[in-house]
Amino acid sequence: MSAHETYLLDRAVTENSHRLDTYRAAGGYETLEKVLKDPVEPKQVIEELKDSGLRGRGGAGFPTGLKLSFMPDVEKDPRPRYLAINADESEPGTCKDRVLMREDPHGLIEGILITCWAIRAKASYVYVRGEYRHEYDRVAQALEEARAAGLVGKNVLGTDFSCEIFMHKGAGAYICGEETGLMESLEGKRGHPRPKPPFPAGFGLWGSPTTVNNVETIFNVPFIIQRGAAWYRTMGTAKSPGNFLCGISGHVERPGVYEVPLGIPARQIIEEIAGGVWKGRELKAWIPGGSSTGLMPASTIDTPMDHDSLKEAGSMLGTGAIIALDETACVVRASEVIARFYDHESCGQCSQCREGTQWLYQVFSRIEHGHGRVEDVELLESLANGMAPGKTICALADAAAIPTHAVVRHFRDELLQHVELGRCPFDGNGGEGTATRREPAGASA
Amino acid sequence: MALPQTLVSELDELVTHYPEARAALIPALHRCQEELGGWISPETMEDMAAYFDLEPVEVYGVVTFYPMFRTSPPGRHVVSVCHNVSCDLRGAREILARVCEVTGAEKGATSPDGKFTVTTVECQGACTSAPMFDLDGTYHEDLSLEDVDRILGGVEA
């Protein structure tokens, strides 16, 4: 494994890492104390985050300091202000925030408190996906400890700063990971994303200024404030500084969540850190950052894992979740599963997405099961072009269109091979141990 | 049917977390489902509507939007098998087939003895320890077929 500096998971590996006394023994909440008592003015906190170059870890990679600076001037805008934490981790392949919530919940809480100070919010909501019961309980218990210790609630650490943090449970809808869908859901409604503008900083939760940030993003904040932007920039690349949590799943020997610097070549993660493709096989394809970032051919694994390099390569860093497919796997089947997901999760507001995701699933499905037509390949592209970009309220349509374009661009031959054979040449193989042919794959073979 | 008083007291506290009471609706529905038989009955929807001062159809709209809420009673135990891409690559189909075989339930249905409901679910965020299922709210990860037999075989009636 490469010898790079780490910080995100250093505490997570210690015993009882989720407890307040463990966290404090490691210097926890000292940064908060310094910020509140020195004090470090809210504007200075935001400036430091801007200088650090921290970019959101939820998928879009938006500069965090800049996002926080969009909150209106507190002197001119008397409305309440909110910080919402997006812990609705649902992008297929992604399970990194789960590790932070479970093993280091106080790190998240300290990040929330410092960020609330910076945007002058007195309340924060942690929106956790409903399935993460254990992780929800861990953060809730940590909050209880923090509240009892005077770290959360009225007059934090005896200062004038008061901040409440509330847990909030989602109920299984992917779309609530979209920031405006999350806000609707937090208000007790269906998770229908809102048209933008207005943006959350101007009109967010209950019509008040709101910032929505991902768990890992906020987890970075205390480190940057404590050690400085210059330190942060010693890791990663000029445009994507810092480390990130890479979850790697699929056909590798050691799947897991690993802390790596941005800009690390995907090859190093797949071949060294994750132990290479399993069973001594060859890599056929990989997905760089969650299912919406699309299948890439194995020939591209020297691409550095940062926002700009992956964009240049026709993909995205997304949530930094790599999924590896070995030579026995079928990319059409993987595409069918991914298309099914976006069909299932479309909220139904926009016809391009509601109908488009359904069509994509049907077309991928019939190709995989031996009923495809040669013109289906063009149909897939035409459908994807009709859905995105910029044709719908939110980016879910894009999330379904991008992997469609990717599989047509990189694996056209395999799509056509399915059509010509009238069946899946890999027996619908999703991977090792899944040799049972799916219905109705055998029907036309 | 009226809501149990203990649940009402809990909801009374829950709504204080938000500037508008309705925001507590989804957490409240979770508590109802946990306490009232594992599903949201039409009566519960009416009770929730009365509590939150909403039309019952608004509650219905929320309940049916979110996959975790059930609108029919499940078996005594619920097995949710992830079938998204990371799990699919590590044998989720075989796991699902074995779960159905062991429980006697078909996918999306309840076993004839009412013991198990088996469903497929989209990504549960356990991708690096695939394949997985959730049994009554607890994750079981990195599953082999033998694990399925052992875990489900050990479930009390």
Side-chain angles (χ1 to χ4, degrees):
Chain A
M1 202 175 291
S2 62
H4 55 261
E5 185 173 359
T6 59
Y7 60 99
L8 291 167
L9 294 180
D10 288 355
R11 291 189 301 256
V13 295
T14 57
E15 200 179 341
N16 284 322
S17 59
H18 60 291
R19 303 300 301 264
L20 178 59
D21 46 5
T22 318
Y23 185 67
R24 283 204 135 150
Y29 290 112
E30 282 173 12
T31 309
L32 173 73
E33 186 153 15
K34 179 176 183 295
V35 166
L36 298 185
K37 292 186 175 170
D38 242 8
V40 184
E41 292 301 325
K43 279 196 174 130
Q44 282 175 263
V45 173
I46 294 178
E47 281 310 308
E48 196 71 25
L49 292 174
K50 274 188 185 169
D51 292 345
S52 76
L54 171 65
R55 298 172 71 164
R57 301 288 194 256
F62 195 81
T64 305
L66 186 61
K67 191 191 240 187
L68 299 182
S69 74
F70 292 156
M71 292 291 272
D73 191 334
V74 74
E75 309 299 333
K76 295 175 189 156
D77 193 328
R79 291 176 294 172
R81 324 150 72 80
Y82 300 104
L83 173 68
I85 301 300
N86 189 342
D88 191 50
E89 183 164 73
S90 316
E91 171 80 6
T94 313
C95 46
K96 63 188 181 66
D97 295 337
R98 189 180 163 207
V99 176
L100 297 176
M101 287 189 279
R102 193 178 58 219
E103 306 300 340
D104 204 351
H106 284 287
L108 173 63
I109 294 169
E110 185 169 8
I112 292 172
L113 291 164
I114 294 171
T115 308
C116 281
W117 163 262
I119 62 171
R120 297 175 178 267
K122 290 183 179 134
S124 173
Y125 295 91
V126 185
Y127 186 105
V128 185
R129 64 175 301 179
E131 296 89 341
Y132 279 1
R133 291 178 180 85
H134 184 50
E135 290 72 17
Y136 178 99
D137 290 344
R138 275 285 173 87
V139 182
Q141 284 160 9
L143 267 179
E144 286 308 310
E145 285 184 308
R147 202 169 277 129
L151 293 156
V152 172
K154 283 213 170 72
N155 302 111
V156 174
L157 290 168
T159 66
D160 290 340
F161 175 64
S162 295
C163 185
E164 271 302 338
I165 303 175
F166 298 106
M167 300 296 290
H168 187 96
K169 199 173 274 190
Y174 169 76
I175 194 60
C176 297
E178 197 278 341
E179 64 177 2
T180 62
L182 183 147
M183 294 193 301
E184 285 289 298
S185 182
L186 232 163
E187 292 182 4
K189 302 167 192 163
R190 291 191 273 182
H192 283 173
R194 302 172 181 173
K196 289 190 266 194
F199 291 94
F203 190 94
L205 283 167
W206 305 288
S208 284
T210 302
T211 298
V212 184
N213 278 127
N214 165 264
V215 169
E216 185 188 341
T217 310
I218 292 301
F219 195 86
N220 271 276
V221 169
F223 293 101
I224 293 169
I225 300 306
Q226 185 201 13
R227 303 181 195 181
W231 161 78
Y232 198 68
R233 285 188 170 280
T234 61
M235 300 167 292
T237 71
K239 288 184 174 172
S240 300
N243 285 352
F244 76 107
L245 294 183
C246 174
I248 174 163
S249 63
H251 295 159
V252 289
E253 285 288 349
R254 289 193 299 273
V257 175
Y258 300 100
E259 177 179 353
V260 289
L262 282 153
I264 186 175
R267 180 190 294 279
Q268 199 178 333
I269 301 172
I270 296 169
E271 293 186 354
E272 295 172 32
I273 298 173
V277 178
W278 72 349
K279 300 172 193 293
R281 291 184 188 154
E282 294 294 320
L283 186 74
K284 175 180 183 173
W286 65 296
I287 295 175
S291 64
S292 66
T293 62
L295 284 155
M296 303 278 284
S299 59
T300 61
I301 61 165
D302 287 311
T303 309
M305 293 288 288
D306 63 74
H307 300 89
D308 298 291
S309 304
L310 279 161
K311 194 173 172 191
E312 211 170 286
S315 181
M316 286 182 300
L317 179 67
T319 55
I322 294 177
I323 305 171
L325 281 72
D326 76 20
E327 58 193 311
T328 71
C330 174
V331 296
V332 184
R333 172 170 177 78
S335 302
E336 181 197 7
V337 170
I338 290 168
R340 181 189 64 208
F341 172 73
Y342 291 107
D343 174 30
H344 185 260
E345 301 297 340
S346 173
C347 86
Q349 280 193 106
C350 309
S351 46
Q352 295 92 329
C353 177
R354 182 184 62 243
E355 301 301 318
T357 51
Q358 193 178 344
W359 277 55
L360 287 178
Y361 174 37
Q362 285 176 2
V363 175
F364 275 123
S365 190
R366 75 175 178 226
I367 297 173
E368 170 63 7
H369 299 296
H371 310 295
R373 303 170 302 196
V374 173
E375 54 272 30
D376 279 348
V377 179
E378 268 60 48
L379 178 59
L380 286 170
E381 287 215 289
S382 138
L383 286 167
N385 283 330
M387 295 166 70
K391 297 189 166 82
T392 50
I393 291 174
C394 84
L396 191 141
D398 302 68
I402 291 162
T404 303
H405 285 306
V407 75
V408 172
R409 186 183 313 128
H410 300 300
F411 298 97
R412 179 183 286 269
D413 290 349
E414 195 167 314
L415 285 159
L416 289 170
Q417 196 187 359
H418 279 70
V419 173
E420 281 156 19
L421 287 171
R423 65 178 171 81
C424 174
F426 302 92
D427 281 345
N429 198 359
E432 180 68 20
T434 57
T436 329
R437 187 173 292 183
R438 285 176 97 226
E439 293 298 326
S444 57
Chain B
M1 194 192 81
L3 294 170
Q5 190 51 48
T6 49
L7 199 53
V8 173
S9 309
E10 218 181 298
L11 301 192
D12 290 345
E13 196 278 324
L14 196 58
V15 296
T16 66
H17 297 187
Y18 309 92
E20 290 180 14
R22 184 187 175 152
L25 179 59
I26 291 166
L29 287 166
H30 270 299
R31 291 297 295 126
C32 289
Q33 182 160 289
E34 282 159 14
E35 297 297 324
L36 306 172
W39 67 302
I40 312 284
S41 68
E43 291 76 22
T44 303
M45 289 188 218
E46 285 181 13
D47 289 340
M48 285 287 102
Y51 185 87
F52 286 101
D53 197 19
L54 298 168
E55 292 298 327
V57 70
E58 288 182 78
V59 177
Y60 179 81
V62 169
V63 169
T64 52
F65 183 84
Y66 292 94
M68 286 184 77
F69 295 135
R70 283 181 221 102
T71 52
S72 59
R76 296 188 293 283
H77 303 281
V78 179
V79 191
S80 306
V81 185
C82 176
H83 68 162
N84 209 297
V85 62
S86 296
C87 282
D88 190 66
L89 291 169
R90 308 273 301 200
R93 273 180 295 170
E94 284 196 331
I95 296 293
L96 176 64
R98 182 65 73 102
V99 167
C100 290
E101 193 184 321
V102 172
T103 59
E106 285 182 34
K107 183 180 106 178
T110 300
S111 57
D113 61 3
K115 184 173 176 184
F116 287 104
T117 296
V118 174
T119 61
T120 50
V121 285
E122 296 301 345
C123 186
Q124 302 284 292
C127 319
T128 56
S129 46
M132 68 81 71
F133 63 58
D134 175 300
L135 168 65
D136 297 333
T138 301
Y139 281 18
H140 295 271
E141 303 172 45
D142 204 7
L143 293 172
S144 66
L145 295 177
E146 293 70 30
D147 292 332
V148 175
D149 296 347
R150 181 178 49 78
I151 295 162
L152 297 180
V155 175
E156 309 258 313

